[in-house]
Amino acid sequence: MGVTSIARINTDQGAEDGLDELVALARMIAYARHVAQDVNLQFATHCLDLALEAVKQEVGEGLTSEMAELSSPAPRMSVRSH
């Protein structure tokens, strides 16, 4: 295995790690958005919508089923009842 092959493996692993981090970030933003919506914080909900769209754009071509799942309506859970 040459130096070029090792560099390519490290680059691929780094890209995969970056994508995993973006998906995790998108999940956190989506959760925060649902909480903000649940407690009727309209401006925060709007800002979190924008943040989620920015993360989706960053992912771009690497859009996974996990990211598509965030776009679909998620079962809502009331924060007030917990």
Side-chain angles (χ1 to χ4, degrees):
M1 187 180 273
V3 174
T4 309
S5 299
I6 292 172
R8 182 173 293 141
I9 290 171
N10 289 339
T11 301
D12 291 343
Q13 184 64 37
E16 186 175 320
D17 289 345
L19 184 60
D20 289 344
E21 289 177 9
L22 285 172
V23 170
L25 178 61
R27 284 184 172 155
M28 287 187 282
I29 293 169
Y31 174 76
R33 183 200 173 283
H34 289 294
V35 170
Q37 189 175 26
D38 195 38
V39 294
N40 201 26
L41 297 174
Q42 294 174 355
F43 183 69
T45 301
H46 174 71
C47 291
L48 291 164
D49 279 337
L50 295 174
L52 187 55
E53 287 303 314
V55 171
K56 287 185 203 177
Q57 286 178 3
E58 187 70 28
V59 171
E61 294 289 322
L63 185 65
T64 63
S65 60
E66 295 172 42
M67 291 295 289
E69 177 183 297
L70 294 172
S71 298
S72 63
R76 294 202 46 204
M77 182 189 292
S78 177
V79 176
R80 295 178 192 137
S81 65
H82 290 89

